[in-house]
Amino acid sequence: MRVVVDLSRCQGYAQCAFLAPDAFRMHGEEALMYDPSPDDAQRDRVLRAAAACPVQAILVDQLEGRLERGDVPVAASTP
């Protein structure tokens, strides 16, 4: 799995850090730090975090080659 965050779009709402703390964390009040290649065991949490991003700054790409829901790049969306 590969994660890319558009840091120019990120507004520091920290929904991702709350939902997937092993992949996303806030450094200070506004700077987001993230793991660009989180473990596959975190897939569901990372996908939830991407979906919860209010400004759709998180893209997730599944690289395993399996045909599963979420294997194509996923742009975060507001529920």
Side-chain angles (χ1 to χ4, degrees), residues 3-54:
V3 174
V4 177
V5 177
D6 182 345
L7 296 174
S8 65
R9 181 176 249 185
C10 177
Q11 296 295 307
Y13 290 107
Q15 294 300 308
C16 58
F18 175 73
L19 293 168
D22 291 334
F24 304 95
R25 65 187 171 282
M26 297 303 293
H27 182 68
E29 291 184 25
E30 295 181 14
L32 176 69
M33 298 181 73
Y34 68 97
D35 180 354
S37 301
D39 189 86
D40 228 18
Q42 299 178 53
R43 179 176 52 213
D44 289 341
R45 289 181 180 170
V46 170
L47 291 174
R48 284 188 201 116
C53 180

Side-chain angles (χ1 to χ4, degrees), residues 52-76:
C53 180
V55 295
Q56 302 179 351
I58 303 170
L59 296 175
V60 178
D61 187 10
Q62 301 291 327
L63 301 175
E64 293 83 20
R66 296 179 300 220
L67 294 176
E68 294 181 12
R69 179 179 251 176
D71 277 352
V72 295
V74 176

